[in-house]
Amino acid sequence: MAVPPTPPASPLSVAATAAARFTGRQVTGERPLSASLTEVDLDDGRTVMVKRGEGTGAARAEAAGLRWLAAAGTVRIPAVHGDDERWLVTDRVALGRAGAGAADRFGRDLAALHATGAPAFGAAPPGGPEDAYIGLAPMRNAAGDDWPRWYAEHRVLPYLRRAVDAGTLRAAEATDVERVCERLPGLAGPPEPPARLHGDLWSGNVLWGADGQVHLIDPAAHGGHRETDLAMLRLFGCPHLDRILAAYDEAAPLAEGWADRVGVHQLFPLLVHAVLFGRGYAEQALAAARSALRRAP
C-alpha cells in the first residue's frame, strides 16, 4: 500500500521568519500578542520577542536605543538579536512580581544610567536616526546645548502645533503652553548635563523580571534632562515608586525643587499623548502648564 506523503509543515509567519533569520535558530512555535508583537520559541529552548516597526526606521531607532542603554551596564535591557527596516528581535523578559528590593536596585541603576551621559541634549543613540519615534509619534533627535531652549523647540512645541492643527487644543489654550516655554529658563532649575535617557519611561515599559531585576523595554532613547525620565515614571504611576525615587535620590541627589518641576517635564509626554489619543491628555497638559505658570518667577 502506498505511503501517503507527509503534509507540509505550517508556513512560518513573517515575524517567525525574522526570528529565525536574526538568531540563526529554527522556530518551534509562535504566539502573536498583538498586531505588532509576537513571541517566538526557538529550537534551543529560548523565546524571543519579535516586534514590527510601525514607522519608517522605527525598528532601527529602537534597536539603537536598546544597545545604547545596555552599553551603560546599569539597568537591565533585553539583548538585541537583530533588526532591519521593519523588524526587531530581542530577548524575552520572564516576568515576576514587583518587589521592594528590585525597586531599590532600579532606583540606583537608573541614576547610574543617567550619569553615563550623552553628547548633547537631543543626541541620538550611536547608529540611531535623527528622525525617531516615541511610541507611534515621530520624535526628532536634534542636538542642543541649552536644555530650556532645546526642550521647548524640539520636545514641547512640535507636539503643541500638531495638537492645535488637529483641533485637539484650541489656539487660545496653546498660549499657556507657549508661555511656559518662554519662561523655561526660570522654571528649569539648576543646569544639568545631558543624561542618557530611556525617553519613554512609563510603567508599561518597566518590566519586573522573575530574576528580581527591573528590565526596560521600548525606549525612545536620547540625551535629555534626567528629571524627564522621573516625571514620566510618575505620570501613570509605577509600583514602589516612592522607593525607586528615594533610592535614586540617595545615589544621585536631585536638585532642590525637582518635585515642583514634574509638570514641566510631563508637558512633553502629555502633548505626545494628546496628539495620539485626544482631548483628555490635552486637558492634562494645560493643567500642567497652568500649574507651572503659577510657580513661575
Side-chain angles (χ1 to χ4, degrees):
M1 183 172 67
V3 177
T6 301
S10 299
L12 294 179
S13 70
V14 182
T17 300
R21 174 161 53 95
F22 287 130
T23 64
R25 308 300 306 191
Q26 292 187 351
V27 170
T28 60
E30 59 180 300
R31 291 169 297 283
L33 303 180
S34 70
S36 60
L37 192 64
T38 302
E39 281 188 346
V40 176
D41 299 323
L42 305 176
D43 62 354
D44 60 2
R46 291 179 297 157
T47 300
V48 295
M49 305 301 296
V50 182
K51 184 176 181 180
R52 186 183 69 222
E54 295 297 335
T56 303
R60 287 207 181 279
E62 185 172 333
L66 289 168
R67 292 185 176 107
W68 191 46
L69 298 178
T74 56
V75 183
R76 274 58 178 179
I77 306 294
V80 176
H81 294 287
D83 63 278
D84 59 20
E85 288 301 316
R86 183 174 175 83
W87 298 100
L88 170 65
V89 180
T90 68
D91 278 346
R92 182 192 65 167
V93 177
L95 299 180
R97 298 180 63 181
D104 293 341
R105 285 190 294 272
F106 175 45
R108 293 190 296 268
D109 289 346
L110 184 61
L113 172 66
H114 289 164
T116 59
F121 298 111
E130 286 190 1
D131 292 317
Y133 292 83
I134 177 166
L136 298 176
M139 183 186 80
R140 184 164 177 77
N141 284 323
D145 57 8
D146 178 76
W147 184 79
R149 184 184 304 120
W150 170 84
Y151 183 65
E153 183 177 350
H154 296 290
R155 289 297 179 264
V156 176
L157 293 177
Y159 302 97
L160 179 66
R161 296 184 189 108
R162 290 186 65 180
V164 170
D165 290 345
T168 306
L169 267 171
R170 293 182 286 277
E173 294 173 322
T175 58
D176 285 334
V177 179
E178 292 168 343
R179 287 170 61 206
V180 172
C181 290
E182 292 169 358
R183 298 186 184 186
L184 271 175
L187 290 169
E192 294 256 356
R196 188 172 305 199
L197 296 192
H198 176 279
D200 193 7
L201 197 59
W202 74 288
S203 58
N205 290 338
V206 178
L207 303 185
W208 301 81
D211 59 359
Q213 304 281 354
V214 166
H215 302 247
L216 301 183
I217 61 170
D218 296 352
H222 62 279
H225 196 302
R226 61 184 181 139
E227 291 178 15
T228 303
D229 262 358
L230 301 182
M232 181 80 83
L233 269 181
R234 293 183 64 162
L235 185 57
F236 299 111
C238 183
H240 302 293
L241 180 58
D242 287 345
R243 294 191 72 110
I244 295 168
L245 295 175
Y248 185 107
D249 191 41
E250 182 179 359
L254 291 156
E256 183 178 354
W258 71 269
D260 293 332
R261 294 188 290 272
V262 167
V264 170
H265 289 272
Q266 287 180 345
L267 273 178
F268 166 44
L270 284 171
L271 287 168
V272 170
H273 278 72
V275 167
L276 294 175
F277 305 117
R279 177 67 186 179
Y281 290 106
E283 291 174 351
Q284 290 185 53
L286 289 172
R290 289 163 182 165
S291 178
L293 289 171
R294 286 194 293 271
R295 290 194 297 272

